Amino acid sequence: MGLKEKKAARDFEQDRLDSLKAQIFEAAKFEFEIEIKWDTITIDGYSHLYEQTWPLIYFEPVIIALKELCSDDFCQEAVQAGLKKIVIENDGDIHNSSKCASFSDGVLTINHSPIINAENQVQDRANTIKEVIENAL
């Protein structure tokens, strides 16, 4: 990871992350840990895309999924009892929305390429996230 990527990640963390986390917590109706593996979601030569792609790939699908899951008290309570942490990473450069999420031991892992299929699969990723949480709880 070069200087451009480090700066873009730092700027995103300082300027956008708190707002996106707040939207996630509002959708879930509770707070939990969110861990971002910055060194895995930064790819040399693509720092100019992070501001656009990271929200579409990692955050908006989670917000959509949690809004849908936590829309009634019964499901919201189940999610709150089961979800302890979200991990965001890029391990293996996965870009298929049906394979972008897993849930184990209270940890929802979003594992997706930080730049591929950003705009055209937001709802598909949200559906996958919702399904893996539903199946685990």
Side-chain angles (χ1 to χ4, degrees), residues 53-133:
T53 61
W54 287 354
L56 294 170
I57 290 172
Y58 301 116
F59 297 95
E60 289 182 26
V62 171
I63 293 164
I64 293 167
L66 289 175
K67 275 184 186 175
E68 292 175 7
L69 279 168
C70 298
S71 63
D72 68 70
D73 291 341
F74 179 81
C75 292
Q76 191 279 328
E77 290 170 6
V79 172
Q80 187 168 353
L83 178 62
K84 305 303 177 203
K85 178 180 181 179
I86 293 179
V87 174
I88 294 173
E89 66 182 5
N90 174 34
D91 180 20
D93 210 27
I94 295 168
H95 55 273
N96 183 327
S97 62
S98 67
K99 298 178 181 185
C100 72
S102 61
F103 190 95
S104 179
D105 297 325
V107 178
L108 171 65
T109 301
I110 311 300
N111 180 13
H112 196 284
S113 163
I115 56 171
I116 297 173
N117 291 330
E119 291 183 35
N120 61 345
Q121 293 186 6
V122 174
Q123 186 62 52
D124 294 340
R125 282 188 292 277
N127 293 342
T128 297
I129 292 165
K130 182 180 174 187
E131 185 177 306
V132 299
I133 293 172

